[in-house]
Amino acid sequence: MDDAALRTAVEVRAALETAADPERAAGAARFFKTGPGGYAEGDVFIGVTVPETRAIVRRARGLPPAEVADLVASPVHEERLAGLLVMVDRFRRAGRARGRDDVVRAAEHEAYLGAVRAGHVDNWDLVDASAEYLVGEVVFPSAPVAEVEPALLLELGASESLWQRRVAVLATFAAIKAGDARPTLAIAERLLDDREPLLHMAVGWMLREVGKRVDRAALTGFLDVHAARMPRTMLSYATEHLEPEQRARYRAMR
């Protein structure tokens, strides 16, 4: 496999095109609901797997920010993913204890917010690969967190954009991994009445992680109060790792 460094967006595009597969592209278009009325209507796939994309991204670590921004603004899904993964890689490498570079981290965070607000981070896989790091690790750098509901997450969580709301939810994964369930519980309560199934999945997933990684009692306490209001999918995801009798009891509350 070619391991030469990729230095421009054009070179990354060429590498992705080499790995592309029309049959996979057609399957991805169906899976990600790109048809009329779908949540990703009009999105363009060329059929590159995520492992292949990550291998290409490893060759693009030195890509200048303007070239990354070009990828993130692309109409091609895999190009947007590649650009976002370059940003995540740069952000995480800049956060290592030795040689930590907060200037780089701040620049990647701001560039990411610009992409989110411009509508370029517009599918669940793009959000899920990036929000925990490029938003979550900035607003929740340690536990216990200083602000349970930072202004940025309140803004994103109240957005009309499904994807901005999902960014707000997935950002709380950083707080969960730091051992603090409160941000997830707070945003979950705010989004109980959200109409979007992809939000129901995201909130339920983060609630499940609260129970697995932080405190099962925090999860069950939330469910004791809110299970009756929770959308079916959200509740199903949230209770997935509870005992069967617990799951049945909470689902019977709806």
Side-chain angles (χ1 to χ4, degrees), residues 36-81:
Y39 61 76
E41 181 176 353
D43 204 353
V44 177
F45 285 83
I46 59 174
V48 185
T49 68
V50 173
E52 288 170 330
T53 302
R54 288 187 180 276
I56 290 167
V57 164
R58 286 193 290 272
R59 297 166 54 201
R61 283 180 164 177
L63 210 62
E67 301 294 314
V68 176
D70 188 20
L71 291 173
V72 172
S74 171
V76 175
H77 187 98
E78 291 92 340
E79 292 180 12
R80 298 200 302 283
L81 177 60

Short mmCIF file of all heavy atoms in Angstrom, two decimals, residues 36-81:
data_model
loop_
_atom_site.label_atom_id
_atom_site.label_comp_id
_atom_site.label_asym_id
_atom_site.label_seq_id
_atom_site.Cartn_x
_atom_site.Cartn_y
_atom_site.Cartn_z
N PRO A 36 -34.92 10.84 -1.59
CA PRO A 36 -35.88 11.91 -1.28
C PRO A 36 -36.59 11.67 0.05
O PRO A 36 -37.10 10.59 0.31
CB PRO A 36 -36.86 11.83 -2.44
CG PRO A 36 -36.07 11.24 -3.57
CD PRO A 36 -35.15 10.25 -2.92
N GLY A 37 -36.56 12.70 0.90
CA GLY A 37 -37.20 12.60 2.20
C GLY A 37 -36.35 11.96 3.28
O GLY A 37 -36.73 11.96 4.45
N GLY A 38 -35.19 11.41 2.91
CA GLY A 38 -34.30 10.79 3.90
C GLY A 38 -33.56 11.83 4.71
O GLY A 38 -33.41 12.98 4.30
N TYR A 39 -33.03 11.42 5.85
CA TYR A 39 -32.32 12.38 6.70
C TYR A 39 -31.03 12.87 6.04
O TYR A 39 -30.51 13.92 6.41
CB TYR A 39 -32.04 11.80 8.09
CG TYR A 39 -31.18 10.56 8.13
CD1 TYR A 39 -29.80 10.62 7.95
CD2 TYR A 39 -31.74 9.31 8.38
CE1 TYR A 39 -29.01 9.49 8.00
CE2 TYR A 39 -30.95 8.17 8.44
CZ TYR A 39 -29.59 8.26 8.25
OH TYR A 39 -28.81 7.13 8.30
N ALA A 40 -30.49 12.11 5.08
CA ALA A 40 -29.27 12.53 4.37
C ALA A 40 -29.56 12.74 2.89
O ALA A 40 -28.70 12.49 2.04
CB ALA A 40 -28.17 11.49 4.55
N GLU A 41 -30.74 13.25 2.59
CA GLU A 41 -31.14 13.44 1.20
C GLU A 41 -30.08 14.21 0.41
O GLU A 41 -29.63 15.28 0.82
CB GLU A 41 -32.48 14.20 1.13
CG GLU A 41 -32.99 14.42 -0.27
CD GLU A 41 -34.36 15.08 -0.30
OE1 GLU A 41 -34.97 15.25 0.77
OE2 GLU A 41 -34.82 15.44 -1.41
N GLY A 42 -29.66 13.63 -0.71
CA GLY A 42 -28.72 14.30 -1.59
C GLY A 42 -27.26 14.08 -1.27
O GLY A 42 -26.39 14.51 -2.04
N ASP A 43 -26.95 13.43 -0.15
CA ASP A 43 -25.54 13.18 0.18
C ASP A 43 -24.93 12.25 -0.87
O ASP A 43 -25.61 11.40 -1.44
CB ASP A 43 -25.41 12.56 1.57
CG ASP A 43 -24.05 12.80 2.20
OD1 ASP A 43 -23.15 13.33 1.52
OD2 ASP A 43 -23.88 12.47 3.40
N VAL A 44 -23.64 12.43 -1.13
CA VAL A 44 -22.95 11.70 -2.18
C VAL A 44 -21.91 10.77 -1.57
O VAL A 44 -21.03 11.22 -0.83
CB VAL A 44 -22.26 12.67 -3.16
CG1 VAL A 44 -21.47 11.90 -4.21
CG2 VAL A 44 -23.28 13.59 -3.81
N PHE A 45 -22.00 9.49 -1.87
CA PHE A 45 -21.02 8.50 -1.41
C PHE A 45 -20.27 7.95 -2.62
O PHE A 45 -20.85 7.77 -3.69
CB PHE A 45 -21.72 7.35 -0.68
CG PHE A 45 -22.20 7.70 0.70
CD1 PHE A 45 -23.41 8.35 0.87
CD2 PHE A 45 -21.44 7.40 1.81
CE1 PHE A 45 -23.86 8.69 2.14
CE2 PHE A 45 -21.88 7.73 3.08
CZ PHE A 45 -23.09 8.38 3.25
N ILE A 46 -18.98 7.65 -2.41
CA ILE A 46 -18.20 7.03 -3.48
C ILE A 46 -17.79 5.61 -3.12
O ILE A 46 -17.20 4.92 -3.93
CB ILE A 46 -16.96 7.89 -3.83
CG1 ILE A 46 -16.05 8.07 -2.62
CG2 ILE A 46 -17.38 9.22 -4.42
CD1 ILE A 46 -14.73 8.78 -2.95
N GLY A 47 -18.09 5.15 -1.89
CA GLY A 47 -17.85 3.76 -1.55
C GLY A 47 -16.48 3.45 -1.00
O GLY A 47 -15.83 2.51 -1.43
N VAL A 48 -16.03 4.25 -0.01
CA VAL A 48 -14.76 4.00 0.68
C VAL A 48 -15.09 3.58 2.11
O VAL A 48 -15.86 4.26 2.79
CB VAL A 48 -13.85 5.24 0.68
CG1 VAL A 48 -12.49 4.90 1.31
CG2 VAL A 48 -13.67 5.78 -0.72
N THR A 49 -14.53 2.48 2.57
CA THR A 49 -14.81 2.03 3.93
C THR A 49 -14.15 2.95 4.95
O THR A 49 -13.19 3.67 4.64
CB THR A 49 -14.31 0.60 4.16
OG1 THR A 49 -12.87 0.60 4.12
CG2 THR A 49 -14.86 -0.36 3.11
N VAL A 50 -14.65 2.90 6.17
CA VAL A 50 -14.06 3.73 7.23
C VAL A 50 -12.60 3.33 7.49
O VAL A 50 -11.73 4.20 7.61
CB VAL A 50 -14.90 3.67 8.51
CG1 VAL A 50 -14.20 4.39 9.66
CG2 VAL A 50 -16.28 4.30 8.26
N PRO A 51 -12.26 2.03 7.59
CA PRO A 51 -10.83 1.69 7.77
C PRO A 51 -9.95 2.22 6.64
O PRO A 51 -8.83 2.69 6.89
CB PRO A 51 -10.84 0.16 7.81
CG PRO A 51 -12.20 -0.20 8.31
CD PRO A 51 -13.11 0.83 7.70
N GLU A 52 -10.44 2.16 5.40
CA GLU A 52 -9.66 2.70 4.29
C GLU A 52 -9.51 4.21 4.42
O GLU A 52 -8.43 4.76 4.15
CB GLU A 52 -10.34 2.36 2.96
CG GLU A 52 -10.25 0.89 2.58
CD GLU A 52 -11.12 0.53 1.40
OE1 GLU A 52 -12.18 1.17 1.21
OE2 GLU A 52 -10.75 -0.40 0.67
N THR A 53 -10.58 4.87 4.84
CA THR A 53 -10.51 6.32 5.02
C THR A 53 -9.51 6.68 6.11
O THR A 53 -8.70 7.61 5.97
CB THR A 53 -11.90 6.88 5.37
OG1 THR A 53 -12.82 6.55 4.33
CG2 THR A 53 -11.85 8.39 5.53
N ARG A 54 -9.53 5.94 7.21
CA ARG A 54 -8.59 6.20 8.31
C ARG A 54 -7.15 5.97 7.87
O ARG A 54 -6.24 6.70 8.29
CB ARG A 54 -8.94 5.34 9.53
CG ARG A 54 -10.22 5.78 10.23
CD ARG A 54 -10.45 5.00 11.53
NE ARG A 54 -11.66 5.42 12.20
CZ ARG A 54 -11.76 6.47 13.02
NH1 ARG A 54 -10.67 7.22 13.26
NH2 ARG A 54 -12.90 6.79 13.60
N ALA A 55 -6.91 4.96 7.04
CA ALA A 55 -5.56 4.73 6.55
C ALA A 55 -5.08 5.90 5.69
O ALA A 55 -3.91 6.31 5.78
CB ALA A 55 -5.52 3.42 5.74
N ILE A 56 -5.96 6.46 4.89
CA ILE A 56 -5.62 7.63 4.09
C ILE A 56 -5.37 8.83 4.98
O ILE A 56 -4.43 9.61 4.75
CB ILE A 56 -6.73 7.89 3.06
CG1 ILE A 56 -6.73 6.79 2.00
CG2 ILE A 56 -6.59 9.27 2.41
CD1 ILE A 56 -7.96 6.75 1.12
N VAL A 57 -6.18 8.99 6.01
CA VAL A 57 -6.02 10.12 6.94
C VAL A 57 -4.66 10.06 7.64
O VAL A 57 -4.04 11.11 7.87
CB VAL A 57 -7.17 10.11 7.96
CG1 VAL A 57 -6.86 11.00 9.17
CG2 VAL A 57 -8.47 10.57 7.29
N ARG A 58 -4.19 8.87 7.95
CA ARG A 58 -2.86 8.77 8.59
C ARG A 58 -1.77 9.33 7.70
O ARG A 58 -0.74 9.78 8.20
CB ARG A 58 -2.57 7.32 8.96
CG ARG A 58 -3.35 6.83 10.17
CD ARG A 58 -2.81 5.51 10.69
NE ARG A 58 -3.05 4.39 9.80
CZ ARG A 58 -4.16 3.66 9.82
NH1 ARG A 58 -5.13 3.94 10.68
NH2 ARG A 58 -4.30 2.65 8.98
N ARG A 59 -1.99 9.31 6.41
CA ARG A 59 -1.00 9.88 5.47
C ARG A 59 -1.20 11.38 5.29
O ARG A 59 -0.38 12.03 4.63
CB ARG A 59 -1.14 9.18 4.12
CG ARG A 59 -0.82 7.70 4.16
CD ARG A 59 -1.30 7.00 2.89
NE ARG A 59 -0.78 7.63 1.69
CZ ARG A 59 -1.32 7.50 0.47
NH1 ARG A 59 -2.41 6.75 0.31
NH2 ARG A 59 -0.79 8.11 -0.56
N ALA A 60 -2.28 11.92 5.86
CA ALA A 60 -2.61 13.34 5.65
C ALA A 60 -2.47 14.17 6.91
O ALA A 60 -3.05 15.25 7.00
CB ALA A 60 -4.03 13.44 5.10
N ARG A 61 -1.71 13.69 7.87
CA ARG A 61 -1.60 14.40 9.15
C ARG A 61 -1.04 15.81 9.01
O ARG A 61 -1.34 16.68 9.81
CB ARG A 61 -0.72 13.59 10.12
CG ARG A 61 -1.44 12.41 10.72
CD ARG A 61 -0.54 11.64 11.66
NE ARG A 61 -1.33 10.76 12.51
CZ ARG A 61 -0.80 9.92 13.40
NH1 ARG A 61 0.52 9.84 13.54
NH2 ARG A 61 -1.58 9.16 14.14
N GLY A 62 -0.21 16.02 8.01
CA GLY A 62 0.39 17.34 7.82
C GLY A 62 -0.41 18.27 6.93
O GLY A 62 0.09 19.34 6.54
N LEU A 63 -1.63 17.90 6.60
CA LEU A 63 -2.44 18.70 5.69
C LEU A 63 -2.68 20.10 6.27
O LEU A 63 -3.12 20.23 7.41
CB LEU A 63 -3.77 17.99 5.48
CG LEU A 63 -4.50 18.17 4.15
CD1 LEU A 63 -3.68 17.65 3.01
CD2 LEU A 63 -5.85 17.45 4.23
N PRO A 64 -2.43 21.16 5.52
CA PRO A 64 -2.67 22.52 6.04
C PRO A 64 -4.15 22.74 6.35
O PRO A 64 -5.02 22.14 5.70
CB PRO A 64 -2.21 23.43 4.89
CG PRO A 64 -1.26 22.58 4.11
CD PRO A 64 -1.79 21.18 4.20
N PRO A 65 -4.47 23.58 7.32
CA PRO A 65 -5.87 23.81 7.70
C PRO A 65 -6.78 24.19 6.54
O PRO A 65 -7.92 23.75 6.48
CB PRO A 65 -5.76 24.94 8.73
CG PRO A 65 -4.41 24.74 9.35
CD PRO A 65 -3.53 24.27 8.24
N ALA A 66 -6.29 25.00 5.60
CA ALA A 66 -7.13 25.39 4.47
C ALA A 66 -7.49 24.20 3.60
O ALA A 66 -8.60 24.11 3.07
CB ALA A 66 -6.42 26.45 3.63
N GLU A 67 -6.57 23.25 3.48
CA GLU A 67 -6.84 22.04 2.70
C GLU A 67 -7.84 21.14 3.43
O GLU A 67 -8.71 20.52 2.81
CB GLU A 67 -5.53 21.28 2.42
CG GLU A 67 -4.50 22.07 1.66
CD GLU A 67 -4.94 22.39 0.23
OE1 GLU A 67 -5.43 21.49 -0.47
OE2 GLU A 67 -4.81 23.56 -0.18
N VAL A 68 -7.72 21.07 4.75
CA VAL A 68 -8.68 20.31 5.55
C VAL A 68 -10.07 20.91 5.41
O VAL A 68 -11.06 20.20 5.22
CB VAL A 68 -8.25 20.27 7.03
CG1 VAL A 68 -9.30 19.54 7.87
CG2 VAL A 68 -6.90 19.59 7.19
N ALA A 69 -10.14 22.23 5.49
CA ALA A 69 -11.43 22.91 5.36
C ALA A 69 -12.06 22.62 4.01
O ALA A 69 -13.29 22.48 3.89
CB ALA A 69 -11.25 24.41 5.56
N ASP A 70 -11.24 22.52 2.97
CA ASP A 70 -11.75 22.20 1.64
C ASP A 70 -12.41 20.82 1.63
O ASP A 70 -13.48 20.62 1.05
CB ASP A 70 -10.57 22.24 0.65
CG ASP A 70 -11.02 22.11 -0.79
OD1 ASP A 70 -12.21 22.37 -1.08
OD2 ASP A 70 -10.18 21.74 -1.63
N LEU A 71 -11.79 19.86 2.30
CA LEU A 71 -12.37 18.52 2.39
C LEU A 71 -13.67 18.53 3.19
O LEU A 71 -14.66 17.90 2.79
CB LEU A 71 -11.38 17.55 3.04
CG LEU A 71 -10.14 17.19 2.23
CD1 LEU A 71 -9.18 16.37 3.09
CD2 LEU A 71 -10.50 16.44 0.96
N VAL A 72 -13.67 19.23 4.30
CA VAL A 72 -14.84 19.23 5.18
C VAL A 72 -16.04 19.88 4.49
O VAL A 72 -17.19 19.54 4.79
CB VAL A 72 -14.51 19.94 6.51
CG1 VAL A 72 -15.76 20.14 7.36
CG2 VAL A 72 -13.48 19.13 7.29
N ALA A 73 -15.80 20.77 3.56
CA ALA A 73 -16.89 21.43 2.84
C ALA A 73 -17.29 20.69 1.57
O ALA A 73 -18.16 21.15 0.83
CB ALA A 73 -16.47 22.86 2.47
N SER A 74 -16.70 19.52 1.33
CA SER A 74 -16.96 18.78 0.09
C SER A 74 -18.38 18.22 0.05
O SER A 74 -18.95 17.85 1.08
CB SER A 74 -15.97 17.62 -0.02
OG SER A 74 -16.33 16.76 -1.09
N PRO A 75 -18.96 18.08 -1.15
CA PRO A 75 -20.24 17.38 -1.27
C PRO A 75 -20.12 15.87 -1.12
O PRO A 75 -21.13 15.18 -0.98
CB PRO A 75 -20.71 17.76 -2.68
CG PRO A 75 -19.46 18.04 -3.42
CD PRO A 75 -18.52 18.66 -2.43
N VAL A 76 -18.89 15.34 -1.14
CA VAL A 76 -18.67 13.90 -1.04
C VAL A 76 -18.50 13.51 0.43
O VAL A 76 -17.64 14.05 1.13
CB VAL A 76 -17.43 13.48 -1.85
CG1 VAL A 76 -17.13 11.99 -1.64
CG2 VAL A 76 -17.64 13.79 -3.32
N HIS A 77 -19.31 12.57 0.87
CA HIS A 77 -19.35 12.19 2.28
C HIS A 77 -17.99 11.74 2.79
O HIS A 77 -17.54 12.18 3.85
CB HIS A 77 -20.38 11.07 2.46
CG HIS A 77 -20.64 10.70 3.89
ND1 HIS A 77 -21.71 11.19 4.60
CD2 HIS A 77 -19.96 9.90 4.75
CE1 HIS A 77 -21.69 10.71 5.82
NE2 HIS A 77 -20.63 9.92 5.93
N GLU A 78 -17.34 10.84 2.07
CA GLU A 78 -16.06 10.31 2.56
C GLU A 78 -14.99 11.39 2.63
O GLU A 78 -14.08 11.30 3.47
CB GLU A 78 -15.59 9.17 1.66
CG GLU A 78 -16.44 7.92 1.76
CD GLU A 78 -17.57 7.86 0.75
OE1 GLU A 78 -17.96 8.94 0.22
OE2 GLU A 78 -18.06 6.76 0.47
N GLU A 79 -15.07 12.41 1.80
CA GLU A 79 -14.12 13.51 1.88
C GLU A 79 -14.37 14.34 3.14
O GLU A 79 -13.42 14.76 3.82
CB GLU A 79 -14.20 14.39 0.63
CG GLU A 79 -13.72 13.68 -0.62
CD GLU A 79 -13.80 14.53 -1.87
OE1 GLU A 79 -14.01 15.76 -1.75
OE2 GLU A 79 -13.67 13.98 -2.98
N ARG A 80 -15.64 14.57 3.46
CA ARG A 80 -15.94 15.29 4.70
C ARG A 80 -15.45 14.50 5.91
O ARG A 80 -14.86 15.06 6.84
CB ARG A 80 -17.45 15.57 4.82
CG ARG A 80 -17.99 16.44 3.71
CD ARG A 80 -19.31 17.10 4.03
NE ARG A 80 -20.38 16.20 4.38
CZ ARG A 80 -21.08 15.46 3.51
NH1 ARG A 80 -20.77 15.51 2.20
NH2 ARG A 80 -22.06 14.68 3.90
N LEU A 81 -15.70 13.19 5.89
CA LEU A 81 -15.23 12.35 7.00
C LEU A 81 -13.71 12.41 7.11
O LEU A 81 -13.17 12.54 8.22
CB LEU A 81 -15.69 10.91 6.80
CG LEU A 81 -15.20 9.90 7.85
CD1 LEU A 81 -15.70 10.29 9.24
CD2 LEU A 81 -15.66 8.49 7.50
#
